[in-house]
Amino acid sequence: MVAPSRIHSLETGTARIGLILNPLGGQARKRHHAIKQILTELPDILQWEAINASDFDASVKALIQAKIDWLIIIGGDGTFQGILNRLFAWLSPNQWPVLTIIPGGTTNMTALDLGSRDKPDHILQRLKHYLQQPAPRPAPLLVERPVLCIEQTGHEKVYGMFFGLGMIARGVKFSRSRIKQTGITGNIFTALVVLRSLLGTFLGRPQPEWAPAQITTVDEAGVKHQENYLLVLVSALEQLLMGIRPYWGQESAPLHVTFVRQHSRKFWYSIWPLIAGHGHSLKKEHGYVSYNTQMLELSLEDEYIVDGELFHASRQHGPLRITTSGPITFLVL
């Protein structure tokens, strides 16, 4: 949780503010001129542009050294994921600034879940108006979310808001090489990725790029179970892109987990309940499982995604362990 002094500085107008812009994000590219114009009108904000790993390193380190109270990120899920991992690596939780995500990427799942649903330049106009208000300012709208922490022996920890396996990872990999080059963004981009994944499943493609994920899990009794899954998702968000909520567990725990087994019964009839938040009608014996948990361990040899970024898990390094960190505090404009 963010230190109370950060919140006080926002309300009194004394906050030190930093901003990182990824100008190559899908929405940021489309609104580039308007974004740059507004940013020139905010000279008191320490501003950085970041498009690659070295840029992220330099900008986050500079903003930490400046002891900012509020960090504004204009970018998509991948940009936020990159900055998030550096913050966890270099700052203790009580030193974190308040975060704001302005949706500037091709996909903006975290920003949308937090309530930031407008064009980036429109949100920046609201930021400008907020900063022009005399102190004391109205109390800001703050939202807290836990963060996924993915660990495997021999690898650095990966932090993010959404983890996906199977057709989710296959679809994202395909999108990075094909659809993304068209410049399509937002929900249309997401719909095309999902459609391509479903077509690969429907056609029964034997190619590795559409193979199910083979996963070994261990139950509470210590018994191992190996199964093939069309998809596995783990999220700390309340809803995903296009407003879907494909999990229906009732347990009081921060990780939302859903498994869909290969050859699950009535898969095509089950797509709508899955994406419309009516998964409670789906049955475990038919291949649909969803629950909330504090921790998940998976043994696999496959690719997975975290917030749209691809990683690889190997059985030789032991199980992939997913827990939560945080919560972290967001300010929504």
Side-chain angles (χ1 to χ4, degrees), residues 80-81 84-85 146-150 158-162 236 306-307:
F80 175 61
Q81 196 264 348
L84 189 68
N85 278 271
V147 178
L148 306 183
C149 176
I150 299 100
V158 177
Y159 295 91
M161 309 301 287
F162 176 84
V306 179
D307 296 342

Side-chain angles (χ1 to χ4, degrees), residues 215-229:
I215 301 171
T216 301
T217 58
V218 181
D219 64 20
E220 294 179 353
V223 179
K224 293 184 177 181
H225 303 273
Q226 184 168 295
E227 192 66 72
N228 292 332
Y229 293 97

Side-chain angles (χ1 to χ4, degrees), residues 109-126:
M109 188 155 52
T110 300
L112 294 174
D113 179 65
L114 294 169
S116 295
R117 302 177 179 276
D118 211 340
K119 302 296 184 185
D121 49 313
H122 296 172
I123 297 175
L124 282 172
Q125 285 287 7
R126 292 202 292 274

